[in-house]
Amino acid sequence: MVIYESMFGDNQEVAQAITAGLTEGGVVAEAVEVGEAPGRLDEDVSLVVVGAPNHAWSIPRPATRQTTADAADGPLVSQGPGVREWLRKAHLPTGVRTAAWDTRGSSPKPVVAMDHASSTIEKRLTKLGGTTLTPAEHFTVVDMKGPLEPGELERAHAWGVTLAGALHPTT
Ligand SMILES: Cc1cc2nc3c(=O)[nH]c(=O)nc-3n(C[C@H](O)[C@H](O)[C@H](O)COP(=O)(O)O)c2cc1C
């Protein structure tokens, strides 16, 4: 299950690309907006991949979501509680493998280096009992409202294929 939070649609696109990559790698996968994600995942879920944008260097908070809604021209993709809230109460299946991603700007580099949404997601998934399958991944947006930089969706797709290979190694 690929769970995402997204304001302007970039993480939604990344989630769909990861899902397509997982599918190509032979894993039955679906992308789910975090508001639609069950609090208790079915025991047959073997991999949970979770992603969100960096807001003020971390996973969105209610205040940063409100700032975003105020600045947006239209409705946001994710409008309710997000990944931060989901990770507080989620019940993961026994033995589940996990992976995390985030989106972030590209500059200034020393500031972007402080972004930790994906590492926070990774740590929380581990606290919930998951085992990290591969290190967290980052995807870059051109501007606050996107779009993703050229090539990022292809990289997200390739990461999905990599996750599938790590989940079901052939050798
Ligand atoms: C309130 C707010 C705070 C942000 N803070 C950061 C930040 O600390 N670091 C960063 O790289 N990008 C930051 N951004 C840019 C977001 O990462 C960008 O909007 C997001 O990746 C787009 O993904 P989405 O379309 O799925 O929401 C911020 C954006 C907003 C709206």
Side-chain angles (χ1 to χ4, degrees):
M1 185 172 286
V2 181
I3 298 173
Y4 64 91
E5 178 172 356
S6 182
M7 306 297 143
F8 303 106
D10 299 285
N11 282 276
Q12 184 176 46
E13 285 189 302
V14 168
Q16 288 163 351
I18 293 168
T19 303
L22 282 163
T23 305
E24 187 179 309
V27 174
V28 177
E30 63 173 330
V32 181
E33 197 279 321
V34 63
E36 305 291 324
R40 180 179 291 275
L41 301 188
D42 284 347
E43 282 298 317
D44 63 358
V45 173
S46 54
L47 172 66
V48 184
V49 191
V50 181
N54 271 285
H55 277 189
W57 302 293
S58 190
I59 317 170
R61 298 179 173 81
T64 65
R65 291 190 199 112
Q66 190 57 54
T67 309
T68 314
D70 293 344
D73 307 322
L76 302 176
V77 172
S78 296
Q79 300 189 12
V83 160
R84 178 179 293 274
E85 291 77 10
W86 186 82
L87 286 167
R88 275 198 199 119
K89 323 189 266 202
H91 292 268
L92 302 187
T94 312
V96 74
R97 313 299 294 276
T98 58
W101 86 86
D102 64 28
T103 56
R104 48 181 67 183
S106 59
S107 66
K109 290 218 178 306
V111 176
V112 170
M114 292 162 63
D115 287 336
H116 55 79
S118 56
S119 55
T120 301
I121 294 170
E122 192 173 74
K123 279 184 205 142
R124 291 195 186 176
L125 286 168
T126 304
K127 272 197 174 167
L128 291 170
T131 303
T132 304
L133 183 62
T134 66
E137 189 53 273
H138 320 292
F139 300 97
T140 307
V141 293
V142 171
D143 210 341
M144 187 182 89
K145 296 181 184 175
L148 288 152
E149 286 198 338
E152 291 300 77
L153 282 180
E154 290 77 7
R155 224 161 53 73
H157 184 281
W159 192 54
V161 175
T162 301
L163 289 171
L167 189 64
H168 296 304
T170 48
T171 53

